[in-house]
């Protein structure tokens, strides 16, 4: 065999200098990774001011999504709102309506939690059939971050919930400060459970596109409810039925009736590699099949992988114990014999819910739901290792 | 008790932000608007994206029509065919529209626009006047079209059985392939080509160096930022086309209302015929307050309030000469 010159010859980087410290006071990924970026699908929306893009999940590993490549969804563009100009109001059925500054918020006891945020429309283009070639595009409206923030319960109790009386039929209405003034109604039970008013993600300040300086975190529930640039929380005796909870984010069934208040994101998984953007380049032999699983109902307890389109399944290895309502990384460490595969993954959560097939979902919902498609995805891998988004019988 | 943080919200502050309107009419201010006024206001502020008859332009939302399509292969979800509550229309128009100039409409204008949208959906007649007093009398066609999430009953039991591990199917066939549709965006090749083109452009000596040198690069960059609010309707640069608004290459110094193939308002077309030219000063005056400076323009934009933004915008537009 020929000796590898990368080993036998002294390379520039082994002889000269690298970059000095302070070369990049806040660094970006090395330039060789410049293809690992958010992408949008131009035909989806009229304009990028009110649009969505996709996390490059195919190229990431582990579970934490770096903020810089975590998908964005704006209804009227990402706004610049500085901490000094930030105000949060709590009003409605509270003992004392309050206004907080950003500095006030930093004085409340805070918590850290990792949660996934998935847009209700993730995989929505796949209802009628296989459309987009890439895990980024079929499943990339999701990110997973460690949030630092204040339990919403703490802020509500600061304003006092005595005026609300019986809390079992009360709601909170949350609203953003941007021009879209997106607003969503959340039942009080959830508001007092695990909702966070967050100002840091993965240790750093929220990025502008994720709601700097303060956003709402609504664990396990659809991303549209995670209000960005959170400016107002109102305690109410009923829902507002705002545009984003009637005209949008309702699920039309085949009989013309639509489901509303479909907040929870059911268990779902996706093989991120191999996948259409991540072909097998190494030929037969050792192969790592990997992907992500998550459930809005709690922890992932098991992920199964099939190589033959669902005829037989084997149980994958979870990288570590699953956290509630957070992404879980799974691996199937296997051998590839170079033959075609129909790769699928199937998530199971702590409630015993098993991720369904597309056929199962279509039988109940039809093809026009748009939202909450958590069906099993199939990648066809050919003998060259190229993968394609397909549907199977 | 508590932490003693924050301060009491003043009534004026609550009134300023607490403007959400609910299905029972809670939050509606006093006021009224008729269909014909609504049509005028809609044409001015909304039609650029939603169409003169609320039929929708390009990918922008269609607001009228679509009745009895909810079981079709391609359902058309509009205010008339889908929205269950009229309060949602009023609330959304009031807080979030017009796109790019939210919260600039008066209560009467919002009533009028709402009345016009009802009329365009054949829900009311052309003599209808909507007000806070008759608001709850309007019947929305799809009011009964919604059920509360029933997945816990209809799906979870079905999907919670022990899954099959072996011999789960007799055969497996591929029934559909994404590559047949070919709608996946390219993997960044365009960007690379563009970068190359830009590098080449930078390397080649500029033919019109005097023009280039006259531009303030920092101001152009600021202008690009300001232009973000215009992008929904206007294109500029290589391959720019007319969209909701005309393309803007070479606009500085050009005659008013003269971009090929764009359907101008009567006011704009006449101004051009009378010899008006988009000088830098004229553009600034127009962009500071479009409706005031050009009565009858179709451009639904509130205006740039800051002189700095106006200067940056004009500098940015100057950086795109006519092709």
């Amino acid at each position: 065999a020929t000796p590898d010159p990368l080993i036998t010859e002294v390379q520039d980087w082994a002889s000269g200098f690298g970059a000095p410290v302070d070369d990049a006071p806040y660094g970006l990924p090395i330039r060789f990774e410049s293809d690992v970026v958010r992408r949008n699908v131009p035909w989806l929306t009229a304009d990028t001011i009110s649009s969505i893009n996709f996390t490059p999940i195919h190229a990431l590993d582990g579970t934490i999504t770096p903020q810089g490549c975590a998908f964005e969804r704006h209804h009227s563009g990402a706004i610049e709102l500085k901490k000094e100009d930030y105000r949060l109001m709590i009003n409605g059925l509270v003992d004392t309506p309050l206004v907080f500054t950003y500095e006030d918020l930093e004085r409340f006891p805070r918590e850290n939690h990792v949660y996934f945020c998935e847009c209700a429309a993730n995989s929505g283009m796949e209802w009628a059939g296989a459309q987009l070639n890439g895990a980024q595009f079929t499943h990339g409206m999701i990110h997973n971050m460690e949030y630092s923030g204040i339990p919403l319960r703490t802020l509500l109790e600061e304003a006092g919930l005595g005026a609300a009386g019986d809390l079992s039929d009360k709601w909170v209405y949350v609203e953003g400060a941007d021009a879209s003034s997106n607003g969503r109604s959340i039942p009080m039970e959830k508001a007092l459970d695990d909702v966070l008013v967050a100002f840091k993600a993965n240790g750093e300040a929220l990025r502008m596109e994720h709601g700097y300086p303060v956003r709402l975190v609504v664990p396990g529930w659809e991303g549209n409810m995670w209000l960005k640039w959170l400016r107002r929380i109102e305690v109410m005796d009923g829902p507002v039925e705002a545009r984003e909870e009637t005209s949008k984010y309702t699920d039309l069934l085949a009989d013309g009736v639509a489901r509303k208040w479909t907040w929870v994101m059911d268990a779902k998984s996706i093989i991120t590699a191999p996948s259409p953007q991540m072909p097998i380049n190494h030929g037969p032999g050792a192969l790592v099949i990997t992907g992500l699983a998550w459930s809005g109902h709690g922890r992932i307890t098991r992920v199964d992988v099939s190589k033959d389109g669902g005829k037989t399944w084997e149980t994958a290895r979870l990288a570590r114990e699953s956290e509630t309502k957070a992404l879980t990384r799974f691996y199937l460490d296997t051998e590839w014999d170079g033959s075609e595969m129909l790769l699928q993954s199937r998530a199971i959560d702590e409630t015993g819910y098993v991720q369904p097939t597309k056929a199962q979902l279509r039988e109940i919902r039809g093809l026009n739901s748009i939202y909450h498609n958590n069906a099993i995805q199939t990648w066809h891998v050919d003998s060259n290792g190229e993968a394609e988004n397909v549907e199977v019988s | 008790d508590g932490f003693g943080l924050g301060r009491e919200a003043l009534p004026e502050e609550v009134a300023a932000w607490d403007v959400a309107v609910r299905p029972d009419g809670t939050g509606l201010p006093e006021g009224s608007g008729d269909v014909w006024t609504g049509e005028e206001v809609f044409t001015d502020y909304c039609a650029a994206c939603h169409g003169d008859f609320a039929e929708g332009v390009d990918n922008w939302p269609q607001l009228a029509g679509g009745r009895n399509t909810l079981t079709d292969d391609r359902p058309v979800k509009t205010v008339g065919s889908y929205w269950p509550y009229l309060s949602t229309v009023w609330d959304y128009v009031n807080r979030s529209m017009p796109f790019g100039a939210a919260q600039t409409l008066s209560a009467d204008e919002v009533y009028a626009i709402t009345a016009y949208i009802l009329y365009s959906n054949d829900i009311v007649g052309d003599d209808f006047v909507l007000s806070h007093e008759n608001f709850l009398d309007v019947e929305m066609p799809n009011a009964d079209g919604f059920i509360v999430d029933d997945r816990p009953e209809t799906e979870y039991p079905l999907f919670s059985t022990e899954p099959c591990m072996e011999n789960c199917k007799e055969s497996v066939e591929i029934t559909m392939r994404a590559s047949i549709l070919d709608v996946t965006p390219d993997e960044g090749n365009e960007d690379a080509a563009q970068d190359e083109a830009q590098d080449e452009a930078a390397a080649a000596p500029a033919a019109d160096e005097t023009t280039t040198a006259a531009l303030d690069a920092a101001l152009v960059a600021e202008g690009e930022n300001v232009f973000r609010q215009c992008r929904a309707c206007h294109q500029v640069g290589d391959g720019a086309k007319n969209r909701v608004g005309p393309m803007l290459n070479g606009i500085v110094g050009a005659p008013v209302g003269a971009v090929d193939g764009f359907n101008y308002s009567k006011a704009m077309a006449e101004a051009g015929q009378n010899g008006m030219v988009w000088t830098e000063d004229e553009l600034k005056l127009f962009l500071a307050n479009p409706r005031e400076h050009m009565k009858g323009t179709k451009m639904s934009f509130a205006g740039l309030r800051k002189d700095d933004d106006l200067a940056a915008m004009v500098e940015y537009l100057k950086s795109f000469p006519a092709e």
Side-chain angles (χ1 to χ4, degrees), chain A residues 26-29 38 66-70 72 74 78-79 145 199-202 204-215 228-229:
Chain A
Y26 207 131
L28 287 169
R38 299 184 278 231
Q67 287 203 71
C69 68
E72 309 168 80
H74 320 308
I79 57 167
M145 303 188 195
F199 39 79
K200 293 280 167 67
N202 300 342
E204 62 179 358
L206 291 166
R207 297 287 172 91
M208 174 177 80
E209 62 268 34
H210 300 130
Y212 179 95
V214 177
R215 85 171 306 168
K228 300 191 290 192
W229 313 289

Side-chain angles (χ1 to χ4, degrees), chain B residues 17 57 91 106 230 323:
Chain B
W17 275 6
V57 173
D91 180 56
S106 70
C230 318
E323 280 160 6

